[in-house]
Amino acid sequence: MNDRKKVAFYTLGCKLNFSETSTIARNFQEEGFEKVDFSEHADMYVINTCSVTENADKRFKTIVKQAQKVNPDAFVAAVGCYAQLKPEELAAVDGVDLVLGATEKFKITDYINDLTKNDFGEVHSCEIEEADFYVGSYAVGDRTRAFLKVQDGCDYKCTYCTIPLARGISRSDTLKNVLKNAKEISEKNIKEIVLTGVNIGDYGKGEFGNKKHEHTFLELVQELDKVEGIKRLRISSIEPNLLKNETIEFVSKSNTFVPHFHIPLQSGSNTLLRLMRRRYMRELYVDRVTKIKEVMPDACIGVDVIVGFPGETDELFLETYNFLTELNISYLHVFTYSERENTVAAEMEGVVPQSVRKKRSKMLRGLSVKKRRAFYESQLGNTKTVLFEGENKEGYIHGFTENYVKVKAPWNPELVNTLHEVTLTKIDDDGMVRFDFVKETVASS
């Protein structure tokens, strides 16, 4: 008879949250818990929350209800960013037993003496100043890629952002530990590692719990490039002012780093960049894109942009729109500005009506579709390497080229988690790309 306690996890938000959920799940397994799917009956449900996504509280309530439907007596814990910022609010949600902030989430197993339901949610939320230690983590699982966390927290003071309040100061994993984690991942036959963090270009800072550091982001990239067994390394979002030319040059010649960059812009108007307290002007952004395309003409460049920030007039929005139209980029992630308590922007004048925010967001999303299409078209006829993923999606297998072109082929389980050379042939009706195998041999199984 299996009397092991069962635990299930639900993650909202960013790749960093996914890697941290994995670490927390491993802690539970070490304590003898059995991990099950969130849709299954469990003794405990852990929800890793996010403060960035819109309607975070509504989403959270829905997920708690889902868990309670499966097991009304289950113990429900909320951890993560939203739990750090609004602990009382989450604790008040019907069914929530425990709320843990930024530092406690990694010690969650210490808080669960017994899994009896509490009448009201217990809150353990530190002052965020205490979040100064670093917990290294990585997420694997059913994926063909792993998310490796190298850095946490942020010292930037962007006026719209609650992340410094939710995650604390910028601090980094030691180079030695990052390399150890990367080796562990490579031994699990995972082909791709995505580097994640809150502000990964700031890597090195806080390696010893203070501002002194021995390593830079460039050195991290150079060392990771030497780890054997990993076929691909991908840099997730990196600030334009921290993406140095040396790093771009290195990636262009690297063995394993792929030509794909995701660089937050937030606005194409210098007036708004100043109001947002970003650390660059649009001219620097153009320099970065130009440099990348100069040394890696096929590189994929993704852009984060915020619409509806206070003070964004029609003229300033069009400045962003036109700036992005002319820029040689591949796709956009569009965020509609939403007010956050305890941020400077929430007090600013020139509030943009919700209806206008929606309209602008729609315009930029439309532009993103065009950009992605144009990028895919520019890649047709090229020979690239595809890493195939593990899911059967309506009879098709999907995969990504090194420069992030999404491809599809009829489902074939033998392709899962393998790399193949292909020639990109045409864009399908759903926007994905079809291809021909260069030769019917596996490039690397």
Side-chain angles (χ1 to χ4, degrees):
M1 188 185 137
N2 184 358
D3 56 357
R4 282 170 71 195
K5 292 264 190 274
K6 294 187 166 76
V7 62
F9 298 88
Y10 196 105
T11 307
L12 291 158
C14 65
K15 295 184 174 101
L16 188 57
N17 272 5
F18 278 94
S19 78
E20 293 181 345
T21 300
S22 282
T23 298
I24 294 167
R26 282 197 287 275
N27 294 347
F28 271 98
Q29 284 162 318
E30 279 160 19
E31 296 280 335
F33 279 77
E34 183 186 338
K35 184 182 164 196
V36 297
D37 193 76
F38 201 79
S39 58
E40 293 177 47
H41 190 281
D43 301 288
M44 177 163 188
Y45 294 91
V46 179
I47 304 165
N48 194 353
T49 62
C50 170
S51 66
V52 179
T53 37
E54 278 182 87
N55 304 327
D57 48 345
K58 282 200 196 104
R59 289 281 309 278
F60 177 74
K61 284 176 186 155
T62 314
I63 294 157
V64 173
K65 281 202 185 99
Q66 275 173 0
Q68 287 188 296
K69 247 192 205 134
V70 188
N71 180 7
D73 302 322
F75 190 95
V76 178
V79 301
C81 289
Y82 205 71
Q84 175 66 32
L85 291 174
K86 297 280 176 71
E88 278 74 21
E89 213 169 279
L90 292 190
V93 172
D94 200 27
V96 173
D97 299 293
L98 182 64
V99 179
L100 298 180
T103 58
E104 300 83 5
K105 63 187 169 196
F106 296 110
K107 310 177 205 150
I108 182 168
T109 49
D110 300 351
Y111 287 97
I112 316 154
N113 302 324
D114 60 7
L115 294 182
T116 17
K117 298 286 288 173
N118 288 326
D119 290 341
F120 54 90
E122 237 181 274
V123 174
H124 299 271
S125 172
C126 62
E127 286 304 310
I128 195 64
E129 285 72 41
E130 292 169 28
D132 56 1
F133 64 90
Y134 183 85
V135 176
S137 57
Y138 59 86
V140 291
D142 49 356
R143 294 199 187 83
T144 44
R145 64 178 67 92
F147 297 104
L148 171 60
K149 175 178 154 187
V150 298
Q151 183 275 344
D152 199 349
C154 188
D155 292 342
Y156 287 10
K157 300 280 186 282
C158 302
T159 53
Y160 51 81
C161 187
T162 54
I163 284 173
L165 297 172
R167 282 188 171 271
I169 58 169
S170 178
R171 52 208 189 274
S172 305
D173 203 349
T174 61
L175 189 55
K176 193 174 147 195
N177 198 44
V178 172
L179 295 172
K180 178 180 87 70
N181 282 339
K183 286 193 183 85
E184 274 177 31
I185 293 168
S186 78
E187 283 157 13
K188 294 178 196 288
N189 192 27
I190 285 166
K191 303 285 193 283
E192 181 176 309
I193 291 180
V194 184
L195 300 185
T196 65
V198 172
N199 186 357
I200 63 171
D202 210 20
Y203 175 80
K205 195 190 270 185
E207 226 181 323
F208 304 100
N210 54 21
K211 294 296 172 222
K212 183 167 82 65
H213 62 92
E214 276 179 11
H215 301 105
T216 62
F217 182 69
L218 176 62
E219 287 169 332
L220 171 76
V221 166
Q222 288 166 334
E223 289 303 313
L224 279 167
D225 199 42
K226 298 173 191 164
V227 175
E228 281 174 27
I230 295 159
K231 300 292 181 217
R232 284 185 178 181
L233 282 156
R234 205 179 285 278
I235 297 169
S236 71
S237 190
I238 182 166
E239 293 285 307
N241 49 307
L242 296 173
L243 178 57
K244 301 286 194 273
N245 283 345
E246 301 86 59
T247 306
I248 296 171
E249 293 271 0
F250 182 80
V251 168
S252 74
K253 300 184 182 79
S254 144
N255 306 318
T256 45
F257 276 90
V258 293
H260 173 212
F261 295 88
H262 193 92
I263 315 166
L265 168 69
Q266 312 310 16
S267 173
S269 149
N270 283 344
T271 311
L272 288 173
L273 288 172
R274 283 190 193 95
L275 283 175
M276 292 174 170
R277 287 196 203 145
R278 300 292 287 156
R279 299 201 173 189
Y280 53 86
M281 291 289 111
R282 56 187 257 169
E283 291 73 15
L284 174 114
Y285 201 92
V286 175
D287 287 351
R288 291 296 177 267
V289 171
T290 310
K291 176 71 184 171
I292 291 169
K293 286 293 189 179
E294 189 185 293
V295 295
M296 290 171 269
D298 287 342
C300 176
I301 302 174
V303 182
D304 285 341
V305 59
I306 295 172
V307 293
F309 189 79
E312 187 182 60
T313 59
D314 285 344
E315 293 75 31
L316 294 182
F317 169 70
L318 284 172
E319 236 183 87
T320 296
Y321 187 88
N322 295 331
F323 178 72
L324 288 166
T325 303
E326 286 161 31
L327 208 55
N328 190 1
I329 51 140
S330 319
Y331 64 91
L332 304 171
H333 278 176
V334 184
F335 297 90
T336 305
Y337 172 74
S338 63
E339 283 76 2
R340 293 280 183 263
E341 275 176 45
N342 301 323
T343 57
V344 177
E347 311 295 317
M348 284 181 180
E349 289 171 7
V351 174
V352 178
Q354 290 293 349
S355 58
V356 178
R357 294 183 205 184
K358 277 203 180 102
K359 188 179 124 201
R360 289 176 185 170
S361 169
K362 209 169 172 183
M363 279 175 74
L364 283 181
R365 289 195 172 123
L367 179 62
S368 183
V369 172
K370 286 182 198 160
K371 286 280 183 188
R372 195 185 293 268
R373 177 98 194 177
F375 174 62
Y376 282 8
E377 279 171 0
S378 76
Q379 295 304 301
L380 295 180
N382 286 352
T383 297
K384 297 285 172 201
T385 306
V386 171
L387 173 58
F388 289 99
E389 311 213 313
E391 223 177 312
N392 182 341
K393 295 190 175 171
E394 294 167 3
Y396 287 95
I397 188 166
H398 294 172
F400 283 96
T401 61
E402 59 271 47
N403 62 340
Y404 217 55
V405 172
K406 193 172 190 183
V407 304
K408 66 186 273 200
W411 171 252
N412 173 357
E414 286 173 21
L415 292 174
V416 170
N417 199 27
T418 61
L419 290 145
H420 291 262
E421 261 197 6
V422 306
T423 303
L424 304 176
T425 54
K426 68 177 195 353
I427 302 176
D428 219 352
D429 298 341
D430 57 10
M432 277 181 255
V433 177
R434 297 292 202 136
F435 58 85
D436 294 327
F437 284 103
V438 169
K439 46 186 185 302
E440 283 303 320
T441 54
V442 178
S444 168
S445 57

